[in-house]
Amino acid sequence: MGGRIAREGTDMLAIGLMSGTSLDGIDAALIETDGEAFVRPIAFRGEPYSDAARAQLAEATRMALTFDKPRASPPVVAAGELITRAHVFAVHKLLADAGVAAADVDVIGFHGQTIAHRPDRRWTWQIGDGAAVARATGITTVSDFRSADVAAGGQGAPLLPVYHAALAAGLEGPVAVLNLGGVGNITFIPGGREMHDSREMSPERAQMSDRDGLVAFDTGPANGLIDSWVEAETGARYDAGGALAASGRVDETVLTAMLDHPFFDAPPPKSLDRNDFTIQPARGLSAADGAATLTAFTAATVAEALRHLPARPVRLLVAGGGRHNPTMLAMIADRTGLVVEPTDVLGWNGDALEAEGFAYMAVRTLKGLAISFPGTTGVPVAMAGGVVDRV
């Protein structure tokens, strides 16, 4: 069985798969898109990891961080097989939910699981076998989205800005889209109404339109440190609703020390590994005070990030799991002086955005369009990315 072949210039059905550094599970999204101005979300589902799977992936990540370059080892190989199986299962469940046959889907964008990200060493490591996903689903699969960018001198992250720009094309700018996952990242979009439907432009202008003026970079830890702290102190996976942080007091001394890090003064583009920061500075605080301090740290890093944008955004739109934390959003609003809006107010599913983005980028890859740009990853020139496995 194979996916239908879409003709050049037509819209495609695409599945995007994302498993983030928070190790909470897989996001799977089905969209229809031309990889440029047109996007229509169709279906989304989340598949949580079991405790055993989370432990296995965490162990593979710990091991990968000790390596000077990616190399096979039994725990990493086993974790990669787990990721592949789990993502194939997620594809089948998503198709069943949507009532769509695999043969009608043109492409899967399979991010895999990041276990180490070292752009300073010219490598990034996402486990999972794109060819195996293609064989198991019968759908052409694009994977390994980041490696070409990193090999060319880019940061390999963030990659979602090109999708953010497509979604924000009708908005008055400048707009900032803040994604709060394990690590936070921000996309600056100078003026949505200046980004026209690429089908009304020359091919040369269409290629430029989704990247003109885009600036993007990682802001710092978002949910990652908070999740690690809460799990270590209470056994819970995360601070539900920000309740623990809301009951605590921010330790300003610890917060100031954590902000005294060269990453925050460095100009963009820049990116982080989830493990570049740790919860160690908060050790000795109560569970509630540690949660409050680490949540304030995330908020303060967002405020720091705004200093590096070309202009102050008129809207700060928030996607990712962090938008479900009202304590975090209130702290971000307080420290930035901006109204913080979950992307859902625009009809964007903030839980699905990353998965949708990799579906969108998979279509762009098939069409030979760029997915990373000098202003978003620091790559020298706009470039395509991803490895294509056809069926």
Side-chain angles (χ1 to χ4, degrees), residues 138-341:
I139 303 170
T140 295
T141 298
V142 180
S143 61
D144 197 12
F145 285 90
R146 302 184 190 273
S147 292
D149 181 278
V150 171
Q155 292 289 310
L159 292 182
L160 267 288
V162 68
Y163 184 58
H164 293 157
L167 292 178
L171 303 179
E172 297 287 356
V175 172
V177 180
L178 175 67
N179 181 61
L180 296 174
V183 170
N185 56 71
I186 196 165
T187 300
F188 174 86
I189 304 164
R193 292 202 183 276
E194 298 170 6
M195 296 182 182
H196 307 289
D197 189 328
S198 60
R199 289 172 285 195
E200 299 175 357
M201 305 176 191
S202 68
E204 293 78 13
R205 180 59 190 159
Q207 178 73 354
M208 290 290 292
S209 66
D210 57 11
R211 73 172 190 260
D212 286 354
L214 287 181
V215 174
F217 53 94
D218 286 351
T219 57
N223 304 312
L225 291 186
I226 303 164
D227 292 350
S228 295
W229 173 265
V230 170
E231 187 163 18
E233 295 293 319
T234 73
R237 287 191 177 182
Y238 59 95
D239 184 9
L244 185 61
S247 70
R249 180 185 63 84
V250 175
D251 188 306
E252 295 293 341
T253 300
V254 171
L255 176 60
T256 299
M258 294 186 75
L259 288 169
D260 185 22
H261 190 287
F263 178 82
F264 302 116
D265 286 327
K270 52 185 176 178
S271 65
L272 287 171
D273 185 276
R274 184 191 188 282
N275 296 284
D276 284 343
F277 290 82
T278 74
I279 61 175
Q280 193 59 37
R283 293 292 190 190
L285 300 180
S286 69
D289 289 354
T293 302
L294 293 173
T295 303
F297 178 54
T298 292
T301 64
V302 174
E304 289 291 310
L306 295 184
R307 297 191 296 111
H308 295 294
L309 298 182
R312 185 171 176 81
V314 297
R315 303 183 77 169
L316 183 60
L317 303 167
V318 183
R323 80 189 197 291
H324 297 302
N325 184 331
T327 304
M328 180 182 290
L329 296 188
M331 287 184 177
I332 292 172
D334 181 62
R335 289 180 181 270
T336 64
L338 294 171
V339 176
V340 178
E341 304 173 86

